[in-house]
Amino acid sequence: MLQLIFRRFTKTLLWFAGGSVLLVLLFRVVPPPGTALMVERKVESWFDGEPIDLQRTWKPWDEISDDLKVAVIAGEDQKFPEHWGFDIGAIQAAFAHNERGGSIRGASTLSQQVSKNLFLWSGRSWLRKGLEVWFTGLIEVFWPKQRILEVYLNSVEWDEGVFGAEAAARHHFGLGARSISRQQASLLAAVLPNPRVWSASHPTSYVARRAGWIRQQMSQLGGDSYLLGLNDSRRAPWAE
């Protein structure tokens, strides 16, 4: 009996592993039609009795502002080009901060955020965290950095029911994702830690200060030229 259960469990794991690898490989070349987070938000709105219309329009890399790309890296994950999905230093700092009490600080990289938004549900269970590690590893192995950032920019939440750079730019500024200014890009990046509370189009003083800091970081990173070496960072041969 135990042997039968073990065989079935092993077979299930193998099917899951193979299926998830194929899905990640598919989304390397095909735009994801939606995300798990979008489904979650839609279901939440039904249960709340206030259904929302989700806004999202996929835009390829060349149709998204370079300023927004750099702003997101500057504000969310400055070690993005170098790491393999996990920023160990940030994780250690967040753990030490959380041990001291007070507000909980996260340490998710852009790659981790892509895996969570695209494939997983919200929450802090060990199962979800384990799956996040698995999908983050797959994404880092099989996708170039440019693809990771492209999917992130097309999937991240920027307000209630607003997903992706194109929908966010039109929602907040009435412009397409390729047409926003450097300041507008920094404001969009500034609200990412809490996009359902903070607004890029009506920033609080804190959001405005954070956007100013992000613009400083963008300049220090090298501006648009920073993106030229994105895919030349540490990569596996099959992700080139």
Side-chain angles (χ1 to χ4, degrees):
M1 182 64 178
L2 287 177
Q3 190 175 20
L4 177 61
I5 293 174
F6 178 76
R7 283 204 304 268
R8 288 181 176 176
F9 178 72
T10 302
K11 184 179 293 186
T12 300
L13 282 181
L14 290 174
W15 274 105
F16 170 77
S20 56
V21 168
L22 289 176
L23 192 60
V24 168
L25 287 172
L26 176 66
F27 287 157
R28 173 177 169 145
V29 294
V30 176
T35 70
L37 181 59
M38 292 173 66
V39 173
E40 184 176 324
R41 294 290 188 246
K42 190 69 174 179
V43 172
E44 283 178 353
S45 73
W46 288 338
F47 278 102
D48 291 340
E50 299 178 355
I52 59 174
D53 292 324
L54 302 180
Q55 303 173 46
R56 178 179 182 257
T57 302
W58 177 276
K59 288 295 180 180
W61 177 262
D62 292 337
E63 295 183 27
I64 300 174
S65 161
D66 285 347
D67 283 329
L68 183 57
K69 298 166 189 171
V70 179
V72 165
I73 294 174
E76 291 290 296
D77 185 6
Q78 292 192 17
K79 293 183 179 178
F80 175 65
E82 290 82 35
H83 65 60
W84 283 82
F86 306 95
D87 185 343
I88 303 303
I91 292 172
Q92 291 173 338
F95 181 78
H97 171 85
N98 297 338
E99 282 288 294
R100 292 193 296 268
S103 60
I104 296 177
R105 176 189 295 176
S108 293
T109 63
L110 293 180
S111 306
Q112 287 176 271
Q113 292 181 54
V114 168
S115 71
K116 288 188 291 186
N117 291 343
L118 198 56
F119 299 113
L120 304 174
W121 63 95
S122 300
R124 295 182 178 275
S125 69
W126 286 108
L127 173 61
R128 197 204 62 81
K129 182 58 69 174
L131 291 172
E132 178 188 322
V133 171
W134 168 252
F135 278 109
T136 299
L138 291 181
I139 287 170
E140 279 284 338
V141 166
F142 291 115
W143 293 3
K145 289 289 187 177
Q146 179 175 308
R147 180 60 173 177
I148 296 173
L149 184 56
E150 180 184 33
V151 173
Y152 177 89
L153 290 168
N154 277 286
S155 304
V156 69
E157 187 175 29
W158 253 302
D159 201 345
E160 190 74 40
V162 178
F163 293 86
E166 179 70 12
R170 295 197 178 279
H171 175 75
H172 287 289
F173 305 118
L175 299 169
R178 75 191 315 171
S179 303
I180 59 174
S181 68
R182 186 169 182 267
Q183 180 175 359
Q184 290 167 335
S186 68
L187 285 167
L188 284 174
V191 303
L192 283 173
N194 201 354
R196 301 171 79 187
V197 174
W198 298 339
S199 170
S201 49
H202 299 91
T204 63
S205 58
Y206 172 78
V207 169
R209 289 195 304 273
R210 178 170 163 78
W213 175 82
I214 287 174
R215 289 193 294 275
Q216 291 178 346
Q217 297 301 303
M218 291 168 66
S219 297
Q220 291 182 16
L221 289 174
D224 296 354
S225 61
Y226 177 76
L227 299 170
L228 297 176
L230 200 57
N231 281 346
D232 296 329
S233 55
R234 188 163 63 94
R235 308 297 299 146
W238 51 84
E240 298 295 339

